[in-house]
Structure formats: structure tokens, C-alpha cells
Amino acid sequence: MPSRILDDALQALGHRDDPQAKTPASAILTLAILAAMERGGKHNKALALAQDLKRFTHIPSPSRFHRRLHALSPLLLPLHYLLAQVWKNLHQAQACALDTFPLPVCENIRAPRARPFPDGVYRGFIPRERVPFHGLKHHLRVDDGKSLHEVNLTPGSPHGLTPFLLLPLELPEGAERYLDRGYERHLHEDLLKEAQGLVPMGIRRGKGRRYVPWPQYLAVVGRRVVETVGSTLHASFPRRVRAVTQEGFVMEVRSFVLAQNLGLMVQRMLG
């Protein structure tokens, strides 16, 4: 079923396969998603598994598969947003939660020699663990149905609120947004509430002038969905995403996000 969904989505995006291609683009993306779901992102193991299952008419060689996948990588983000629109027909979200997760590309001691991400702008800090890291930040917006609607990748050093201001936040009027303390900005909350009618439900600092005790419990409970989805997503990652280039690293991350949403969509359709 994922291959059929991807085939329809690629047709909706206007993608056409080369007539000489033995393996369609939907099968290439399905193999990448299979690697993310079952083999920790290791494409060689996913190709071997697909060879054993005999569900595909033609399995490309690992080198050919990687060339095809890198050529299709610009379609991963449009596919994600197209499937998010399809999900809205399956589930009418009334609330969303936002959070930021670190994506280290290497150990801290190897940061000066990190070839794909050599600059100091990728040097970030994990507040909950009080340790630095070298890599990217993964910004997620999850609805109350556990679907990842909006994703953003930024270098590790900028504040988490910076990319949050760039997210479109396509939500119905009156929808609630569950935020943690890092997203507390009164001016931004007032602008969104006036322009889009979104209700901010943030975990506020105890001495803040907008601190009210009883909404804190609702914010903590509402944010559990993004913490659960984010933890599940990042637990499926390998210990270190092995990539030679920045584009390869981003492609790996987006394939895991696409696998997460496709699995949820198939589960909802079959249920």
C-alpha cells in the first residue's frame, strides 16, 4: 500500500519516470522508507530484504539505488506536505504541539573534523541535558492525531523560536497550540491570536506576568503528543546518521519523517 500511495502522490506532483528506468520512482522511495522503518536507514540491508521478499519486479544495485534516490530527494518535502493535506481529510485536528529536537552529526570531540557540517553555526546546546552538540535542530509541529504536519531543519546554534516564526501554521481558527517555555514570546502570541485566531497554551515561567496555574496542566498534557512522536521518530534513527554530504544527511532525516507519516496513514486506512 505505501508504494501505491507514493505512486498516486508522485502523479499528483507531476513527476514522470524516464521510459528507460527499470524501477519506478515510487519503488525507489518505498525501498528508502522500508530502510527507515525496518533497517535503521541502512539501504543495503533494505535492498537485500526486498530481494528476499520478491515483491518488486527489479531491485537496482546499491550504487544505482543511491543515484536514483539522490535524484528524487527534492521531492521528499513536497511529498510530505501533500500527504499532510491528505491526512487532513482523515483527521480534523483541533490542536497542535511544537517542539525542537537536536540531531547530532558526530560526537562533540569530532566536531572540528565534521566534513559535512564544518562551521561553528552548527554548534548548539541541549538545555534539558545541559550539554553542547554539533549538528542540526529538528523543529516539528504535530497535530493531536500524531501526524507530523510541518518540519524544519536549521543549524544547531540559532534559537528554537527563530524557525518557528517561519512555519505557516495552517490551523483552523480557535485551534490550540501547545508550547514549552522556549517558545514564550508575548508579542508573537498576540499577533497569531489576532491574525489567525490561534490559542496559545504554553508552559510559562512561574514569575511571568501571564502565568496562570490551571492552564499549565493542560499545556503539559497537550504537549505529550509531540514528545511521544518526536521520541518515537528519533528512536528509529541510527545512533549516527552516516552521510558524506549535507544533502545526504537531510535526505535521510526526511525519509524517516515520511516513513513515520506513511505508517500512520496506512494504519488509519486499514483501521
Side-chain angles (χ1 to χ4, degrees):
M1 183 175 288
S3 179
R4 191 176 303 171
I5 295 175
L6 289 174
D7 194 20
D8 295 340
L10 288 173
Q11 290 182 9
L13 292 175
H15 176 77
R16 296 292 182 270
D17 288 324
D18 191 287
Q20 296 179 344
K22 296 181 179 179
T23 308
S26 58
I28 296 293
L29 294 176
T30 302
L31 290 170
I33 290 171
L34 177 65
M37 285 182 172
E38 302 293 339
R39 292 296 182 263
K42 295 179 174 59
H43 296 149
N44 291 346
K45 292 186 177 181
L47 292 174
L49 177 61
Q51 192 77 36
D52 295 337
L53 294 176
K54 297 180 181 180
R55 294 294 182 89
F56 297 89
T57 56
H58 181 266
I59 304 296
S61 64
S63 61
R64 181 61 181 165
F65 171 78
H66 287 114
R67 289 196 297 271
R68 290 286 308 278
L69 184 58
H70 277 271
L72 294 171
S73 60
L75 294 174
L76 291 177
L77 194 59
L79 273 174
H80 169 78
Y81 286 112
L82 179 61
L83 294 178
Q85 296 298 323
V86 176
W87 173 259
K88 290 181 180 179
N89 297 326
L90 300 175
H91 176 78
Q92 297 296 326
Q94 299 299 323
C96 73
L98 297 99
D99 206 353
T100 300
F101 296 87
L103 285 176
V105 298
C106 64
E107 300 290 346
N108 289 327
I109 196 172
R110 299 185 60 187
R113 294 174 288 152
R115 292 184 180 180
F117 303 91
D119 301 328
V121 70
Y122 298 102
R123 192 68 173 167
F125 186 76
I126 307 176
R128 62 174 65 93
E129 299 179 10
R130 298 184 180 181
V131 294
F133 77 98
H134 189 83
L136 302 177
K137 285 182 178 179
H138 203 191
H139 310 274
L140 309 176
R141 181 176 76 83
V142 181
D143 71 354
D144 49 14
K146 297 185 179 180
S147 176
L148 289 158
H149 276 261
E150 297 173 10
V151 295
N152 198 357
L153 287 170
T154 63
S157 61
H159 190 274
L161 185 65
T162 304
F164 170 64
L165 300 175
L166 303 177
L167 293 177
L169 296 179
E170 297 178 356
L171 290 167
E173 186 175 356
E176 297 177 344
R177 296 177 302 122
Y178 296 105
L179 313 169
D180 65 1
R181 294 180 180 88
Y183 295 103
E184 185 179 6
R185 293 295 184 274
H186 297 167
L187 177 60
H188 180 247
E189 291 176 3
D190 294 340
L191 289 175
L192 277 180
K193 190 172 183 179
E194 182 179 353
Q196 297 181 240
L198 302 181
V199 181
M201 298 290 290
I203 302 176
R204 305 187 184 278
R205 296 171 176 83
K207 296 183 179 180
R209 56 189 176 88
R210 294 193 180 185
Y211 176 83
V212 181
W214 64 268
Q216 300 301 300
Y217 174 76
L218 298 178
V220 171
V221 173
R223 271 185 43 79
R224 287 177 183 172
V225 61
V226 70
E227 293 173 353
T228 301
V229 173
S231 299
T232 304
L233 175 64
H234 286 260
S236 64
F237 288 178
R239 186 171 178 271
R240 285 290 179 269
V241 178
R242 300 185 180 275
V244 181
T245 62
Q246 294 185 11
E247 292 79 9
F249 187 91
V250 173
M251 181 186 66
E252 287 286 337
V253 173
R254 286 178 177 168
S255 65
F256 276 94
V257 173
L258 192 60
Q260 177 91 0
N261 275 0
L262 265 178
L264 181 65
M265 187 176 296
V266 171
Q267 182 180 1
R268 176 61 64 91
M269 288 179 176
L270 295 179

